[in-house]
């Protein structure tokens, strides 16, 4: 059954829709056992993978079966093999003490990007503190600011700074062990180390480095097992004065679903933020990128780009690349006129774009690490009610939906429930900085998703 063309097609389908790391961790270890009476029975190596698939992939499996002509109405995951494979408490990271079974290496490829250095990083008022502190950390790792916690919106240079620190430290001493990972990679490695019973290898990878950098740490939100493991990793490194650098889209106290002991540790060293750059700095960044590319635009052309792209440096670079490509392809000079022509289709007034209710719901769920069904469901836990009410608020304010329309989008609730939720957020926003921060991040993501 596991080798049948249908099963291969179903897995192939899911592989296309999933990141490589997720596919490897969650989907690859599954096997199709039977297809009876419209029920697909799928075996999985442990309860952890079972829970995850139950929560995140059931619908996708169902769709994939149906797409390939199999009238499946239900997907069930079953844990395979011996009782030892069943680990029932993953919030206790020390529990799965493991013998070294056949070892499958835990992977944590450390990909430090060479071109993200301090030299190629343009300093401005918006990032000066983050920049200076990063330089100090790179000069004296493990002593001054440990951990260093950098936060700020999308595309403002957090990842660039982390790589710059890593590059500086390895350049000064090539023997230093440096590991940069995304939070997703950390989580996946941890889970894989459990499912392959190779915890020792995982610990060796993460607890023996001189410098550990974990990007987008907000994705630890609501992942209890990974939080426990990160807690242990953090303590081990910190006690032996190894440097830890973390980045997130918000300050530690604003990461919901993060254990208090972690968020307080994240503040032990130094917390720095990066704000969106002002016009002058945006122009300076463009000038620097042009120098790197060996291209010369008149200042007015760069100022034009900088005035149009305001929020995010990644987009700024994208617009510049578009302008450069345009000039080269069309054989026109690097001028203001060319830039205007190149960007004419790109710069759409924000208020004319609209996002869909589904994407708003998806982004909110993603942001808080909960599932779509939890978000639109009726459970009243705090972790679910707050994101749900934010979704109500955004659907009304960003998409102009009526209360009854929002009620339908959120699983057929009574529209008075929606009104209540909306008003609740509306009342809090002016005085609550956490609400403001969540909303501004979500609005940014909603815009970016259009
Ligand atoms: P974040 O991790 O905050 O989302 P990145 O570090 O990935 O953002 O930055 C997005 C892009 O913008 C990268 O290509 C990066 O090199 C560039 N960038 C960001 N800030 C600067 C800066 N101050 N100077 C030069 N390039 C920058
Ligand atoms: Mg980043």
């Amino acid at each position: 059954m596991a080798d049948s063309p249908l099963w291969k097609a179903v897995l192939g389908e899911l592989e296309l829709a999933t990141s490589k790391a997720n596919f490897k961790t969650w989907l690859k270890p599954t096997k199709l056992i039977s297809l009876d009476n419209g029920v697909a029975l799928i075996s999985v190596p442990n309860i952890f993978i079972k829970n995850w698939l139950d929560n995140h992939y059931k619908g996708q499996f169902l769709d994939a079966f149906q797409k390939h002509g199999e009238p499946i109405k239900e997907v069930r995951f079953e844990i395979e093999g011996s009782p030892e494979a069943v680990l029932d408490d993953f919030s206790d990271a020390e529990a799965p003490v493991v013998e070294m079974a056949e070892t499958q290496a835990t992977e944590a490829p450390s990909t430090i990007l060479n071109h993200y250095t301090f030299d190629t990083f343009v300093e401005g008022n918006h990032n000066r503190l983050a920049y200076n502190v990063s330089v100090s950390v790179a000069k004296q790792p493990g002593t001054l600011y440990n951990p260093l916690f950098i936060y700020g919106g999308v595309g403002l240079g957090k990842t660039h700074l982390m790589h710059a620190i890593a590059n500086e430290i390895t350049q000064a001493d090539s023997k230093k062990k440096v590991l940069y990972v995304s939070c997703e990679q950390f989580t996946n490695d941890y889970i894989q180390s459990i499912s392959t019973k190779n915890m020792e290898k995982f610990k060796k990878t993460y607890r023996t480095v001189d410098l550990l950098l974990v990007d987008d740490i907000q994705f630890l939100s609501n992942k209890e097992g990974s939080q426990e493991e990160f807690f242990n990793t953090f303590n081990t490194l910190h006690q032996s004065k190894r440097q830890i650098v973390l980045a997130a889209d918000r300050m530690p106290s604003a990461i919901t679903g993060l254990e208090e002991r972690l968020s307080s540790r994240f503040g032990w060293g130094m917390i720095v933020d990066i704000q969106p750059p002002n016009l002058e700095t945006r122009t300076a960044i463009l000038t620097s990128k042009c120098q790197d590319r060996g291209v010369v635009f008149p200042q007015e052309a760069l100022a034009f780009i900088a005035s149009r792209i305001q929020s995010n440096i990644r987009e700024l670079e994208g617009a510049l690349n578009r302008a450069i490509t345009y000039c080269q392809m069309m054989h026109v000079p690097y001028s203001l006129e060319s830039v205007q022509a190149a960007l004419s289709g790109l710069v759409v007034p924000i208020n004319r774009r609209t996002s869909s209710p589904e994407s708003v719901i998806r982004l909110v769920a993603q942001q808080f690490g909960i599932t779509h069904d939890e978000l639109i469901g009726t459970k009243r836990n705090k972790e679910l009610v707050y994101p749900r009410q934010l979704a109500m608020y955004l659907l009304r304010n960003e998409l102009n939906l009526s209360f009854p329309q929002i009620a339908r989008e959120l699983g057929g609730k009574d529209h008075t429930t929606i009104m209540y939720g909306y008003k609740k957020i509306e009342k809090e926003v002016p005085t609550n900085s956490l609400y403001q921060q969540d909303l501004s991040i979500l609005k940014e993501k909603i815009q970016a998703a259009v």
Side-chain angles (χ1 to χ4, degrees), residues 116 120-122 127 155-160 289 313-314 317:
Y116 282 173
T120 58
F121 192 81
V122 178
N127 63 19
L156 295 182
K158 303 182 294 295
T159 299
H160 188 137
K289 301 276 171 196
I313 297 168
R314 188 173 298 125
E317 272 189 303

Side-chain angles (χ1 to χ4, degrees), residues 287-296 317 320-322 324-325 328 334:
T287 307
S288 149
K289 301 276 171 196
C290 284
Q291 277 163 5
D292 294 346
R293 302 279 300 265
V295 170
V296 182
E317 272 189 303
L320 177 67
N321 289 339
R322 187 181 167 117
I324 294 173
T325 308
Q328 289 170 348
Y334 293 117

Side-chain angles (χ1 to χ4, degrees), residues 304-310 315-316 318-320 322 339-353:
F304 176 81
I305 302 177
S307 69
R308 293 306 163 100
I309 312 284
Q310 301 183 351
E315 281 181 21
L316 199 62
L320 177 67
R322 187 181 167 117
V339 168
Q340 284 169 334
L343 301 191
S344 63
L346 187 71
V347 188
V348 183
I350 302 256
N351 55 13
R352 265 201 247 134
R353 311 190 204 167

